[in-house]
Amino acid sequence: MDVSSRHHLRSDDIDEIGDALRTGLGVELDGDAYERVTFADEEFEIVLVDGEPLVWYPDGEPFVTVAGANRTDPSTGVVTVDAGAVSFVSDGADVMRPGITAASPEITAGDLVVIQEAAHGKTLAVGRALVGGTEMDGESGKVVSSLHHVGDELFEFSV
């Protein structure tokens, strides 16, 4: 990931991020310095909060990274998977119904979601819901498309 530009965010941009994360995930970001980073070889941008890549813009909308979710502990927009799904999801696999133990009921198809493991509540990935939260329980079928996961380039990014 080749950085093409970095610049500090204005307070209204910071407020926009805060509002989106508060509404979508029930989280508050607390930082002193916010920098937007764009890349020459990626479609998305990230926001460094006090030097850490905690926010990214998949498809132009602000959302937490895996590191951001682990730092803020979302209360909504969360899909929880069992121990059997952990290694697959951590490697970037999409989430299938049999591995789900819980899903926030307010999730609608198309929403960005945080994927956590059940035992410790750690975030493994971020994805896009293919069905609503109340439809995620079941025996078969893909329900979340993985976008970013533990160990990918974004997760490993540092300045």
Side-chain angles (χ1 to χ4, degrees), residues 57-77:
Y57 283 80
D59 303 323
E61 53 189 310
F63 202 74
V64 291
T65 61
V66 169
N70 280 322
R71 183 182 220 197
T72 59
D73 193 25
S75 60
T76 184

Side-chain angles (χ1 to χ4, degrees), residues 71-95:
R71 183 182 220 197
T72 59
D73 193 25
S75 60
T76 184
V78 176
V79 175
T80 306
V81 297
D82 63 20
V86 169
S87 65
F88 297 103
V89 173
S90 294
D91 285 339
D94 295 332
V95 179

Side-chain angles (χ1 to χ4, degrees), residues 14-43:
I14 295 168
D15 290 344
E16 178 184 311
I17 293 168
D19 291 345
L21 298 182
R22 197 174 306 108
T23 301
L25 297 170
V27 301
E28 294 287 337
L29 273 183
D30 185 25
D32 295 320
Y34 291 75
E35 287 183 275
R36 181 165 294 178
V37 178
T38 58
F39 301 97
D41 54 346
E42 297 291 345
E43 295 290 318

Side-chain angles (χ1 to χ4, degrees), residues 142-154:
K142 181 177 6 177
V143 293
V144 178
S145 177
S146 183
L147 301 175
H148 159 48
H149 60 90
V150 170
D152 68 9
E153 280 188 303
L154 177 55

Side-chain angles (χ1 to χ4, degrees), residues 78-119:
V78 176
V79 175
T80 306
V81 297
D82 63 20
V86 169
S87 65
F88 297 103
V89 173
S90 294
D91 285 339
D94 295 332
V95 179
M96 308 300 280
R97 277 191 176 101
I100 294 178
T101 61
S104 299
E106 71 283 343
I107 294 171
T108 60
D111 285 354
L112 289 168
V113 295
V114 170
I115 305 158
Q116 295 181 338
E117 53 88 21

